[in-house]
Amino acid sequence: MNNTNTLEKEHYFDWAATSPADADILQEAVNETLECWGNPSSSHNVGKKAKSLLDTARERAAKILNVKPETIYFTSGGTESDHIPLLAVMSKPAKGTVLVSSIEHPAIKEQADALKHCGWNVVSIPADKYGIITPEAVTSLLTNDTMLVCVMAVNNETGSIQPIYEIADAITNWSAGKRKPKFHVDCVQAAGKIPLNIGYKGIDSAAFSSHKICGPRGTGILYLRDVITPFLKGGGQEKGMRSGTENVLGAVAFSKCLERYYISEKNPDSMEKFTRQKAITENFVKQLSELKGCTIVPEGRLEKPDLYSPYVVQAAFAHIPGNVMLRALDSKGFYISTGSACSSKKASRPVLEAMHVDAALRETAVRFSFGPHTTEKAINELFEAVSEVDKTFNK
């Protein structure tokens, strides 16, 4: 690797969009799949070797996620893993209600809008000023015809950690004696960033994406507590849940990335790194807040830092439109974003709008996101670069 690429990775602060892949893991996966190159669905010996490799990857992922292997399905990414439970409601004989948090990723929100056009009642769950979806907000909207509730684990723009376990309990308690709505959690920004327990009772499904934790693009995982009826049909791969020839290389690589980066109490080193990152990020947020013209978004992060992932920070800078800050830092060799990469071509900021963030702040807000290879030194250098740009516009 040349020095330019090394420096780019050191000063890359858009991990929430994608992560640089771990070369050793990709190489291992390539070597293993070159040896087992058959179609896992084929019944001959070459196919059986490939299936064995796929099954091993599934078992490895399940062990790390602390769930049963039969609940793990490999998909093409986080979007598809979100779509399968959402579209499954289409297989129901009667239309009903779907609750979707107002801060969801477009993978959920846009598909939910499509359901609305098909006659489903799609209701938005409001966020509070901290960017949090409270259990009370969810239960206040539950109705007897609610089929599905979608609340992400960590917001991709503000880093707000949602109380998914409390929400799961609230839905379960509300449903006592009657049919329980399914509860789906988008964990794309949470895996490898905060401790997770997707096997928690009351969580019915969860979505993961490989390229957010140093794995290859085009690979995801869907956790399903119980079998559902998929809306899309095909060749029946992944037990009929996700048809299409399996991406064995992606599955092998993703499972290895989970082993390396998933945060859990079973891995003390991962918890120690998480705690260390919290301290580094809290210091970064404090430094930013002291810059003239800077506003942390949401401002409540300063008083309640534990409500946020230490890997995502949103801040607004007076008199500096987000795209201007992005270009100014880019010219200095620092790489950030103005929000979700999936919405980067859109002028609106729906997550910030859902939090009732002032229009001026929305226009000037940018996102800094970190990953397991981001160093404290690099974050300090980022702050110095941001400080220089801020001083230019806010003297």
Side-chain angles (χ1 to χ4, degrees):
M1 182 185 296
N2 62 45
N3 290 335
T4 300
N5 284 341
T6 300
L7 195 59
E8 283 182 346
K9 286 190 177 182
E10 286 179 358
H11 289 163
Y12 179 71
F13 302 99
D14 196 17
W15 284 74
T18 196
S19 62
D22 278 5
D24 64 324
I25 285 180
L26 287 188
Q27 193 59 60
E28 285 178 11
V30 167
N31 292 342
E32 290 179 28
T33 50
L34 284 174
E35 288 292 321
C36 303
W37 44 265
N39 187 319
S41 296
S42 298
S43 56
H44 48 61
N45 190 52
V46 173
K48 289 177 181 177
K49 286 182 179 179
K51 186 176 186 304
S52 176
L53 193 59
L54 183 66
D55 288 344
T56 298
R58 194 185 317 278
E59 290 165 4
R60 182 186 293 120
K63 182 178 180 180
I64 296 301
L65 298 176
N66 199 28
V67 295
K68 297 177 180 178
E70 57 266 29
T71 65
I72 297 295
Y73 301 84
F74 289 108
T75 69
S76 65
T79 294
E80 186 180 22
S81 296
D82 279 332
H83 283 185
I84 291 173
L86 195 58
L87 289 175
V89 301
M90 299 280 282
S91 64
K92 305 294 181 182
K95 295 181 176 67
T97 297
V98 174
L99 303 185
V100 175
S101 91
S102 57
I103 59 169
E104 289 300 294
H105 186 276
I108 291 285
K109 290 194 75 171
E110 296 295 328
Q111 191 59 60
D113 285 344
L115 287 180
K116 187 185 298 184
H117 292 305
C118 293
W120 283 78
N121 180 34
V122 178
V123 178
S124 178
I125 311 168
D128 65 17
K129 67 178 183 178
Y130 297 103
I132 301 295
I133 304 295
T134 66
E136 294 75 20
V138 174
T139 54
S140 70
L141 296 172
L142 288 173
T143 55
N144 288 333
D145 73 340
T146 301
M147 300 290 185
L148 178 69
V149 177
C150 299
V151 180
M152 68 198 328
V154 172
N155 183 259
N156 53 298
E157 291 199 29
T158 66
S160 56
I161 300 173
Q162 304 307 309
I164 55 174
Y165 311 117
E166 291 84 351
I167 290 172
D169 288 342
I171 295 172
T172 299
N173 293 337
W174 181 90
S175 306
K178 50 191 171 185
R179 179 190 55 78
K180 174 187 170 296
K182 296 289 187 182
F183 180 36
H184 175 69
V185 181
D186 181 328
C187 293
V188 168
Q189 293 295 343
K193 306 296 177 60
I194 66 168
L196 270 178
N197 176 17
I198 64 162
Y200 190 86
K201 186 177 181 181
I203 295 177
D204 298 291
S205 56
F208 298 87
S209 177
S210 169
H211 77 102
K212 305 296 187 179
I213 56 168
C214 303
R217 297 179 179 90
T219 299
I221 282 176
L222 170 65
Y223 160 74
L224 286 175
R225 177 178 293 276
D226 299 306
V227 174
I228 59 176
T229 303
F231 177 69
L232 299 177
K233 309 289 184 179
Q237 292 89 343
E238 293 297 287
K239 295 186 291 184
M241 203 59 60
R242 192 273 175 183
S243 292
T245 302
E246 302 92 337
N247 177 1
V248 181
L249 187 154
V252 170
F254 193 7
S255 66
K256 291 176 183 288
C257 286
L258 285 171
E259 277 187 330
R260 182 171 290 179
Y261 296 113
Y262 198 72
I263 300 174
S264 128
E265 292 183 354
K266 290 185 175 181
N267 182 356
D269 288 344
S270 71
M271 294 297 291
E272 182 180 336
K273 184 172 178 57
F274 173 67
T275 301
R276 186 165 64 250
Q277 185 64 45
K278 283 177 65 176
I280 293 170
T281 300
E282 284 178 28
N283 182 60
F284 176 67
V285 170
K286 182 177 181 296
Q287 287 181 306
L288 286 179
S289 69
E290 293 170 352
L291 292 177
K292 186 176 181 181
C294 178
T295 302
I296 302 301
V297 182
E299 294 181 70
R301 179 171 191 148
L302 291 165
E303 58 183 277
K304 296 186 177 183
D306 286 343
L307 294 181
Y308 302 88
S309 164
Y311 289 93
V312 178
V313 175
Q314 182 103 201
F317 298 84
H319 313 303
I320 314 177
N323 284 327
V324 173
M325 175 63 85
L326 186 153
R327 290 195 297 270
L329 289 177
D330 186 82
S331 69
K332 294 175 179 290
F334 294 83
Y335 311 105
I336 66 165
S337 72
T338 54
S340 169
C342 299
S343 304
S344 62
K345 301 296 187 292
K346 300 177 182 178
S348 63
R349 300 291 298 275
V351 169
L352 302 187
E353 289 173 15
M355 294 163 53
H356 306 291
V357 173
D358 180 78
L361 290 181
R362 296 200 303 266
E363 183 183 348
T364 58
V366 294
R367 179 183 70 185
F368 309 102
S369 54
F370 317 127
H373 302 320
T374 307
T375 65
E376 184 174 7
K377 174 178 175 289
I379 293 176
N380 289 336
E381 291 170 349
L382 170 65
F383 172 75
E384 292 302 323
V386 171
S387 180
E388 289 174 8
V389 177
D390 182 67
K391 287 176 183 176
T392 301
F393 289 85
N394 294 293
K395 296 179 180 179

